[in-house]
Structure formats: C-alpha cells, structure tokens
Amino acid sequence: MVTSASRTARSRAREELTREIKLAAQRQLAEVGSAGLSLRAVARDLGLASSAVYRYFPSRDELLTALIIDAFDAVGAEAETADANCARDDIAGRWLAAAKAVRGWALAHRHEYALIYGTPVPGYHAPLDTLGPSQRVTGVFLAILRHAAASGDREGATHDRLAERQPLFEPFAPDIEDADLARGLMAWILLFGSISFELFGHLHNVVVDNDAFFELEMRRIAEYVGLPAA
Amino acid sequence: MVTSASRTARSRAREELTREIKLAAQRQLAEVGSAGLSLRAVARDLGLASSAVYRYFPSRDELLTALIIDAFDAVGAEAETADANCARDDIAGRWLAAAKAVRGWALAHRHEYALIYGTPVPGYHAPLDTLGPSQRVTGVFLAILRHAAASGDREGATHDRLAERQPLFEPFAPDIEDADLARGLMAWILLFGSISFELFGHLHNVVVDNDAFFELEMRRIAEYVGLPAA
DNA sequence: TGTACATCAGTGAACGCGCGTTCACTGATGTAC
DNA sequence: TGTACATCAGTGAACGCGCGTTCACTGATGTAC
C-alpha cells in the first residue's frame, strides 16, 4: 500500500500534467485551429521546455488524437445523460434532450466541435482508437430510433419502400428498416448541419433567435421521423 | 486600338498569371488545407520567385479572399444554370436540380467547398467583397422558395404560427412568411449538412449509395417544405 | 518610324520568426535489499 | 530505517526546415514626342 501510494505520487503528477497539457492544447485550438496546433506553443503556455511534452505525447498527432478522443467522449457523455434523464417512452422528448445536449456542448466547446465534426485536419488520419468514442453519441441516437421503430404507434411515419436496385445503407443497424433509417439519418444530418451552420456563422444574418429556431427544427424533424411523445 | 492592343499584351499576361496563381493555390489547398496555404509553395509550384507573387496578390490573405470569391461565384453559377434549365413552374424540380448542382460542384471541388462552407480559417476574417458572391447561391434558393410561397397550391405546407415572443428571423426576405422561411431554412441546412457530412467522411460506414440517398433526402425535404412539381 | 523616358514584372538575397523532433544531461523520485 | 541503484521528469542546445514579407536590382514592355 505504501509502495502504491508513493508510486502514485509520481504517477499522479503525471496524470495531472497530462491533463494540463490537453487543457493548454484546447486553448491553443481556440486561437489557431487544429492545423496550427503546436507542441511548442503548448509547452510555452505551461512554462515547460518544448522537449518535455514528449514525455507525455510522442508526437503532435498523438496529442491531436487524444483531444479528438476526449471530445467524442465528452459530447457522447452529454448526450447519454440527457437521454437518461428522460422517461424511456417519451421518445420525442429523448430526441430533443439529446439534440439540445449536443448543441449545448458544441456551443461551449466550439473548437473541439470543429475538430471532430468540422473540416478534417489535412494530413491527419484518425487512428482506430477514435472510433469507439465517436460511436457513443451515435449510439444514443440509434437507440432512440430503435426504440421508436419497435414501438409500433408512430403516426407520421409512412412505411414506404426504398432502394429497389441496391442496398442504400451499410448494415450497421440491420434490425431497423431502411425507411426508418433514412428518416433517422435525415434528422441526424439536420442536427449536425444546424449546429455547424450556426457555429460557422452561416446563420448570422439569417436567424435572430438561434435557441428557438434550433428547438423548432428539432421538434419538426422529430414529427417528420414519427417519434412518439410520452 | 493599336495602343490598347499592345497594352493588352502585358495585361493579358498579367491576367493569365493571376489565373495560374489561383489554380496553383487551389492545388495547394487540396494538399494542405486552407490554414496551410503558403505563398512560397504556390510560387515554387509555378517556378517563380516567392516575391514575384506579391506583384499579383499583396498578401496571403488577399489570395485566400480571391479563392473564396471564385468559389462562391463558381457554385453560384452552377446553381443558377441548373435552376434556369428547369420549367419555371416545376418548383420541386428546380429545387432538386439546384441541390444536385451544388453537390456536384462540391464533390468536384472538395477543398474549395471546405473553404467556404467548412470550418472557418482561424485568424482570417472575410472582407465584405465576399458577401456579394456568397449570396448568389442563396439567391437561387430564395427565389425558388419565394416562387413556391407565391403559388398558393402547396399541399404539404401547413400554415402554422411561429415565434410568439420575438422575431425568429432577420428581415432578409420580408415578403416570405416566417413559417415558409422556417421550412425553407431546414431544407437549406439539410442540403449543406448532407454535403458536408458526405465530404467530411461522416457517412462513410453508413451510406452505401450516396447519390441515391442524397436525392432521396432532397425529394423528401421538398415534399416537407411543400414545393409543388409542375 | 525612331528615340528617350517611364512603367512594370520578375529576381535573389535577406529579415526574423516558429515549427517538430532529437539528444546528452542533471537531479529528483521510487525500489530492493 | 538506511543505503545503493534504477527509473523517470524536465532541461537546454541543436538539427534542418518552411514561412510571410521587404527591398534594391535588372531587364523587358509600353508611351509620348
């Protein structure tokens, strides 16, 4: 125990500095964007020699990867808890809550949002480690859609046939019908399209009340998808 | 005449090199992204001294501005001609044609699309010169929406009241009702959201046939907005 | 048509800067006996 | 508990590189008479 406690003395310092490096990197991100993220600037910000950072992240790209993973995890967690706080059968409510949670996180972490949902960083190829975390937020919305598809009482949803010739979708959710998947994807794309447009300034001389318009959009597309309220 | 012809000898060379510089810059864009666009690399690409480029563009940012303006103009022109080739009263057809034109241009000019609709370049502030060109493509879709709103026979569109407390939209199209504007904006956002998601790889393990899914989305949202076919 | 001058395009060297990454090092922290 | 050794964190100098921008210059093109 004494041994492990003293080991933590060092390793706790390590964890802390790792966290501080990532925080400084996030600050950097806000100033210069992902393409301009620089290890030297991060080190400077923390009063470290630039070479010291290499004890924590073996390269600039690995630091970027860590930021990406953290961002996916953070937004995923937000969506999960927002969803979890709703009555299970209030499917429209769950959708709205999760959508608002994603937007709220995006507004509070604009540059991390841009990192994961904006233009890909040129020359950077995301390693597989980012895949799991990226699927957290996807999982929340897929679960909502699955729940809606299972509960039969959807009013808005007309069951139309799609895709005569070839499959339209990859088999990532084989238990959901293509028609439902198509509508769900439209909602998903509208959600992230709205957030991106707002964040990137394309609604600047268009929408006055972004909160209200976002909620309106999300409610309407939920109706369109046929998500039943409680 | 002789004078003006001989003046063109020099100024025509000037125009040509200006064009070539922009082309080289576009190639650069594809490799390193907008944040990494470098005058020196452009000059190198053309076999010029780096200082020579300054005879054509007074700074890196002015070159970026020129690329942005060209991109907006190009995508605007595509949308305009696609729209113009449709029967005036086939409003759903015009929407679909213009949407496809925008997507087609985006797929053929991925990095220019990212330049104008992706994450904003950090540290770059678009001058007012870009505003006009940016409104070309907007104008096409606004005209379509206006035409739809004027022709009364829209089936899908329920006329609901919006925004009890405060105005939802800036008065950029005061002749169109808020309810119509809201639906039109949803379609607009879905259009660009779809293109961005496709281009940035977020549909990679999701959609098999991007052409088909895009068309499906655009048809459905047109129905939702209530755009009448001919 | 021919000459004298003005304009302009492109050169190459230089400025000061920041970057990612490596490496031999010092000194502190942890471990085994 | 105390000592001898191993591990690890952080330093500072150095590597080679590319960047945007300026400037005095040469030589070609255009203009006025």
Side-chain angles (χ1 to χ4, degrees):
Chain A
M1 265 302 137
V2 182
T3 314
S4 98
S6 63
R7 202 203 304 151
T8 7
R10 184 133 87 178
S11 74
R12 233 193 299 182
R14 187 177 180 81
E15 276 170 31
E16 201 168 315
L17 233 187
T18 306
R19 224 181 353 259
E20 275 178 38
I21 289 174
K22 290 196 284 192
L23 280 173
Q26 286 171 8
R27 265 176 267 137
Q28 259 266 301
L29 217 55
E31 283 170 29
V32 294
S34 51
L37 177 70
S38 120
L39 279 192
R40 288 188 103 110
V42 167
R44 221 178 294 130
D45 196 75
L46 295 171
L48 287 174
S50 63
S51 48
V53 181
Y54 284 83
R55 295 259 174 242
Y56 296 84
F57 296 95
S59 74
R60 197 200 84 118
D61 273 16
E62 301 260 2
L63 176 55
L64 252 186
T65 300
L67 292 181
I68 289 172
I69 289 174
D70 280 12
F72 273 128
D73 266 330
V75 68
E78 295 278 341
E80 281 166 11
T81 67
D83 176 46
N85 284 335
C86 296
R88 290 298 79 193
D89 284 339
D90 182 8
I91 298 182
R94 288 169 63 190
W95 155 257
L96 192 62
K100 280 181 172 180
V102 172
R103 174 169 174 264
W105 180 86
L107 287 173
H109 304 85
R110 293 162 173 267
H111 299 89
E112 286 153 88
Y113 176 86
L115 187 62
I116 56 181
Y117 292 110
T119 315
V121 184
Y124 172 85
H125 285 291
L128 286 178
D129 317 33
T130 61
L131 214 123
S134 82
Q135 286 170 340
R136 272 180 82 168
V137 72
T138 325
V140 172
F141 289 107
L142 256 188
I144 294 174
L145 188 63
R146 187 171 281 122
H147 198 134
S151 80
D153 61 324
R154 290 164 20 257
E155 318 157 14
T158 15
H159 271 276
D160 36 12
R161 286 240 156 272
L162 298 180
E164 290 79 18
R165 315 196 205 184
Q166 49 171 326
L168 206 51
F169 302 117
E170 302 279 358
F172 64 98
D175 54 323
I176 307 181
E177 279 184 50
D178 271 15
D180 289 321
L181 229 40
R183 274 186 293 264
L185 258 174
M186 282 175 70
W188 168 262
I189 290 172
L190 186 70
L191 165 59
F192 284 92
S194 294
I195 294 172
S196 296
F197 253 43
E198 180 183 351
L199 250 55
F200 298 167
H202 294 297
L203 301 182
H204 201 245
N205 288 310
V206 180
V207 174
V208 172
D209 186 338
N210 280 298
D211 289 0
F213 181 58
F214 179 78
E215 178 157 348
L216 182 104
E217 282 186 290
M218 291 303 109
R219 283 189 188 282
R220 295 234 170 137
I221 199 74
E223 274 178 42
Y224 175 78
V225 174
L227 302 183
Chain B
M1 269 302 137
V2 182
T3 314
S4 100
S6 61
R7 201 200 312 150
T8 6
R10 185 134 83 179
S11 72
R12 235 193 300 182
R14 186 176 181 81
E15 276 169 32
E16 201 168 314
L17 233 187
T18 305
R19 223 178 357 257
E20 276 178 36
I21 288 173
K22 290 196 285 193
L23 282 172
Q26 286 170 10
R27 264 175 268 137
Q28 259 266 301
L29 218 54
E31 283 170 31
V32 292
S34 51
L37 177 71
S38 120
L39 280 191
R40 288 189 104 108
V42 167
R44 221 177 296 132
D45 196 76
L46 295 170
L48 288 174
S50 63
S51 49
V53 181
Y54 284 83
R55 295 261 175 241
Y56 295 84
F57 297 94
S59 74
R60 196 200 84 118
D61 273 16
E62 301 261 359
L63 176 56
L64 251 188
T65 300
L67 292 181
I68 288 172
I69 289 174
D70 280 12
F72 273 127
D73 266 329
V75 68
E78 295 278 341
E80 281 166 11
T81 67
D83 175 46
N85 284 336
C86 295
R88 291 297 79 193
D89 284 338
D90 181 8
I91 298 182
R94 288 168 64 189
W95 156 258
L96 191 62
K100 280 181 172 177
V102 172
R103 176 170 174 264
W105 180 86
L107 287 173
H109 303 85
R110 294 162 173 266
H111 299 89
E112 287 155 88
Y113 175 87
L115 188 61
I116 56 181
Y117 291 110
T119 315
V121 184
Y124 172 85
H125 285 289
L128 285 177
D129 317 34
T130 61
L131 213 123
S134 81
Q135 287 170 339
R136 271 180 83 169
V137 72
T138 324
V140 172
F141 289 107
L142 255 188
I144 294 175
L145 188 62
R146 187 172 280 122
H147 198 134
S151 80
D153 62 326
R154 297 177 359 267
E155 318 155 13
T158 15
H159 271 276
D160 36 13
R161 288 240 156 272
L162 297 180
E164 291 80 16
R165 315 198 203 180
Q166 49 171 324
L168 206 51
F169 303 117
E170 302 279 356
F172 65 96
D175 55 322
I176 307 182
E177 278 183 51
D178 272 15
D180 289 321
L181 228 41
R183 274 185 293 265
L185 258 174
M186 282 175 69
W188 169 261
I189 290 172
L190 186 70
L191 165 58
F192 284 91
S194 295
I195 295 172
S196 296
F197 253 43
E198 179 182 352
L199 250 57
F200 298 166
H202 295 296
L203 301 181
H204 202 246
N205 287 311
V206 179
V207 174
V208 172
D209 186 339
N210 280 297
D211 289 1
F213 181 59
F214 179 79
E215 179 156 347
L216 181 104
E217 282 186 291
M218 292 302 110
R219 283 190 189 281
R220 295 235 170 137
I221 199 74
E223 272 177 45
Y224 175 78
V225 174
L227 302 183

